[in-house]
Amino acid sequence: MIETTEFADVPTTTLADLLGRDRVMDIGIRPLWGPVPRVAGPAFTVRCPPGDNLMLHAAIHRAPAGSVIVVESGDLDYALAGGNVCAVAQRRGIAGFVADGLIRDLAEVREAGFPVFARGVIPIPGTKKAVAPLGEPVRCGGVRVEAGDVVVADEEGIVAVPAARSTDVLTAARAKLAKEAAETLDEWEAAHRGRIDEILTAGGFED
């Protein structure tokens, strides 16, 4: 069984090449401060209906250390969390938040260095009424995420690696990175030029 922290050395670009578009969250979910460190860990999934943030606030006391809390919400009117919630999550060892929604108190979050990937910032918080199960499959940034999937997030984007494929994906990612590291720019350029010219020729392009 792999440790999900091993994915911290794997760029999301490499994972995206291996997994394809349907495992990459949309561009609206982005780091809210930078430069942000790469975050990698098992998903702890939360669903919050628009206007309510109760279950995210519950999750910070229940998610295991090292988890990435992944929130389905889609709310663009109210904040899911603020500075104190992020500070408690950080103190409890949560690796970061990936939220399909908004937060507030960005200056506090940035100063603390807590990684948050979300749709933006708004100063007004949601209510705390809607009770729902934790650990259910969620949809975040257009990607279905199940509890335990490996979430990797950096300045390039967010990728969710299915838990059942994580060992194979990590092995393939390491092999790809090793191959790229051994290739000089001249070698890459020659191979790239050859491939592009071959496609152009097949398509009838003439210089």
Side-chain angles (χ1 to χ4, degrees):
M1 187 70 176
I2 67 163
E3 292 290 335
T4 56
T5 51
E6 295 183 68
F7 277 88
D9 294 329
V10 182
T12 55
T13 48
T14 300
L15 295 172
D17 287 346
L18 294 170
L19 291 169
R21 180 66 186 86
D22 65 342
R23 302 309 302 168
V24 179
M25 294 188 189
D26 71 57
I27 63 169
I29 302 183
R30 61 194 187 279
L32 295 187
W33 57 268
V36 68
R38 182 174 299 122
V39 170
F44 188 90
T45 54
V46 180
R47 186 178 290 112
C48 293
D52 197 285
N53 59 32
L54 175 64
M55 296 316 298
L56 173 55
H57 289 232
I60 65 170
H61 302 289
R62 291 163 175 79
S67 299
V68 177
I69 295 183
V70 179
V71 188
E72 175 182 323
S73 172
D75 185 9
L76 297 180
D77 292 313
Y78 296 93
L80 288 163
N84 285 343
V85 168
C86 291
V88 170
Q90 185 178 41
R91 187 164 65 180
R92 296 201 66 254
I94 304 303
F97 288 170
V98 173
D100 200 328
L102 311 173
I103 70 157
R104 67 178 195 165
D105 302 327
L106 179 58
E108 294 177 28
V109 176
R110 180 174 55 236
E111 184 177 355
F114 183 67
V116 175
F117 299 77
R119 293 202 180 272
V121 180
I122 200 167
I124 185 167
T127 60
K128 296 171 180 60
K129 296 178 181 178
V131 176
L134 295 169
E136 299 282 308
V138 298
R139 196 154 192 87
C140 185
V143 176
R144 176 184 167 90
V145 181
E146 298 188 13
D149 286 351
V150 182
V151 175
V152 183
D154 59 22
E155 63 185 2
E156 301 283 350
I158 305 112
V159 179
V161 181
R165 298 175 58 192
S166 60
T167 299
D168 290 343
V169 170
L170 182 60
T171 299
R174 285 174 170 166
K176 189 174 191 300
L177 290 169
K179 180 181 177 181
E180 291 170 351
E183 186 177 47
T184 67
L185 181 58
D186 287 343
E187 291 169 337
W188 183 91
E189 181 183 10
H192 178 262
R193 176 68 183 269
R195 181 165 59 92
I196 296 302
D197 286 349
E198 183 180 339
I199 295 169
L200 290 173
T201 299
F205 177 81
E206 296 180 5
D207 284 320

